[in-house]
Amino acid sequence: MANNTKKRKVVIVGAGLVGMSYAYALMNRALCDELVLIDIDKKRAEGEAMDLNNGAAFCGATMRIFAGDYSDCHDADIVALSAGVAQRLGEGRENLLARNVEVFKSIIKPVVQSGFPGVFIVATNPVDVMSMLTLKLSGYEPNRVIGTGTLLDTARLRFLLGEYFTIDPRNIHAYVMGEHGNSEFVPWSLATLGAKPLTQVCSDSNEYAMDDLHGLGRDVVEMGQRIIEAKKATYYGIGMAMTRLTQAILGDEHSVLTVSAYLDGEYGQHDVYAGSPCVIGTNGVIEKVEISLNPSEALSMSNSCEYIRSLYSQISLHDLTVSPV
Ligand code: NAD
């Protein structure tokens, strides 16, 4: 695993818009020493590596970037999965499931067979279900499989709340939880501006109202489709979210991030991946920070997890299992 002497190595499987936005952000932040691009379209991965390498002279640190294959995962710290099909306008993330299951069946096995010792970051949609699939196909411990989950949605929410209150989004402590999709929800009872609950900020003011905040929560749910409507795809935000997650893993930061993690009793939920605040470090999910939801928020969490489980149950798992190494 990453330490001060070992080179920090990230492998990206799926060198499309999301994968390359992540790669570009990693390069600009000089977050790793070696970056490997894998894609079913090998020529595309080679072209992307050449293009990034053309920027090497302007980069703050030396970074080895190349198009590789699955054997390159054997000493990687992170394998990030952004391969597969993306949503089109008006299409739900759940529509991608069947096609992306086939994609993951072809990817996880050779990654595991390489002896990959690190942490999977899953971005492919529907991300909560694809994270569970990665867990089952790899046979790895749950802490080593992290979905980007509601990390992007949480960033979107904080941005909108920051604009609404004219406050630095980094001082807004609010989470989006549950599915990365329509059933996600915001536990408003726990959201704070600095240390002051947002419910109190609103009740103390004539300017701010909880109804407005609920509206912003709905905007977060619709944001992905609005971006797709305007420019056909979303990729910078998720690329930055993956970069933030990578920084927390490689730096063993123990940062609290809202990721899709395997729930094993937390929030009364079992055997499901869903967005919830977790402590992230070198070994992936170090701890799940179970927060106290009020009864209506707990119901939203339960409904969202039930929906994710129903999607996952559409996948037939027989003959998919790969023996852990
Ligand atoms: P894209 O089409 O630009 O890139 C996908 C890449 O995957 C392509 O280069 C393709 O050749 C490659 N690929 C396909 N099958 C493969 C296989 N079997 N092995 C290796 N590579 C394979 O798509 P994109 O816009 O980059 O989106 C990728 C995924 O990320 C989609 O599922 C999308 O829905 C998801 N996404 C997630 C979030 C999030 O918040 N989690 C946000 C945006 C997009």
Side-chain angles (χ1 to χ4, degrees):
M1 304 300 289
N3 60 39
N4 289 338
T5 50
K6 180 192 175 295
K7 65 177 169 14
R8 300 159 302 168
K9 182 173 183 179
V10 175
V11 176
I12 300 176
V13 186
L17 293 170
V18 170
M20 292 317 299
S21 301
Y22 170 51
Y24 188 62
L26 283 180
M27 186 177 180
N28 276 295
R29 304 272 300 276
L31 273 187
C32 60
D33 306 297
E34 217 167 276
L35 180 61
V36 185
L37 306 178
I38 299 176
D39 200 286
I40 196 166
D41 181 349
K42 178 103 184 162
K43 205 163 175 137
R44 178 175 190 169
E46 285 169 356
E48 294 290 3
M50 277 192 272
D51 200 2
L52 283 184
N53 277 321
N54 282 184
F58 310 113
C59 193
T62 311
M63 198 165 151
R64 185 169 173 243
I65 304 171
F66 59 98
D69 57 42
Y70 289 106
S71 65
D72 291 303
C73 300
H74 79 279
D75 60 349
D77 297 289
I78 291 170
V79 169
L81 304 173
S82 50
V85 288
Q87 282 168 280
R88 288 179 290 248
L89 186 59
E91 188 177 35
R93 295 178 180 93
E94 61 281 0
N95 280 15
L96 313 173
L97 185 59
R99 285 168 287 168
N100 285 344
V101 166
E102 289 309 308
V103 169
F104 271 37
K105 277 161 67 177
S106 71
I107 292 171
I108 307 298
K109 191 173 176 180
V111 173
V112 170
Q113 283 173 343
S114 76
F116 169 53
V119 175
F120 279 107
I121 294 178
V122 184
T124 299
N125 277 319
V127 68
D128 305 290
V129 182
M130 300 309 293
S131 303
M132 183 69 155
L133 181 65
T134 303
L135 177 81
K136 297 288 182 191
L137 288 173
S138 66
Y140 282 12
E141 303 87 352
N143 60 292
R144 292 173 59 194
V145 178
I146 308 177
T148 52
T150 47
L151 186 57
L152 175 59
D153 314 72
T154 296
R156 286 171 173 165
L157 179 70
R158 290 181 185 188
F159 166 73
L160 292 177
L161 290 173
E163 283 207 318
Y164 180 73
F165 291 113
T166 324
I167 289 286
D168 184 338
R170 289 172 299 183
N171 297 129
I172 304 278
H173 305 287
Y175 303 108
V176 179
M177 291 180 64
E179 179 209 2
H180 171 57
N182 291 340
S183 72
E184 70 190 24
F185 70 100
V186 181
W188 290 111
S189 69
L190 299 161
T192 65
L193 187 163
K196 185 168 178 173
L198 290 187
T199 47
Q200 204 183 331
V201 174
C202 289
S203 62
D204 284 354
S205 130
N206 296 325
E207 199 181 340
Y208 305 121
M210 281 308 295
D211 275 354
D212 292 343
L213 303 196
H214 291 297
L216 295 180
R218 285 190 294 277
D219 287 347
V220 169
V221 177
E222 290 163 12
M223 181 96 70
Q225 274 297 321
R226 279 197 211 145
I227 298 170
I228 291 170
E229 192 180 345
K231 54 173 276 192
K232 296 194 169 59
T234 77
Y235 36 90
Y236 296 132
I238 183 62
M240 291 297 287
M242 294 166 80
T243 302
R244 178 68 192 92
L245 201 41
T246 300
Q247 183 188 357
I249 294 168
L250 295 178
D252 197 22
E253 284 185 352
H254 290 224
S255 300
V256 178
L257 298 172
T258 321
V259 296
S260 191
Y262 183 75
L263 299 182
D264 189 19
E266 298 82 6
Y267 310 100
Q269 301 303 320
H270 293 272
D271 209 27
V272 67
Y273 265 81
S276 59
C278 293
V279 180
I280 304 297
T282 303
N283 294 325
V285 175
I286 310 286
E287 197 182 324
K288 285 161 270 180
V289 185
E290 187 171 3
I291 53 178
S292 299
L293 301 176
N294 70 25
S296 100
E297 293 160 356
L299 182 63
S300 297
M301 184 66 169
S302 164
N303 289 341
S304 195
C305 289
E306 201 45 53
Y307 179 68
I308 297 166
R309 258 189 233 99
S310 74
L311 279 185
Y312 184 71
S313 69
Q314 294 172 16
I315 304 173
S316 165
L317 274 178
H318 51 260
D319 79 23
L320 291 186
T321 313
V322 180
S323 303
V325 280

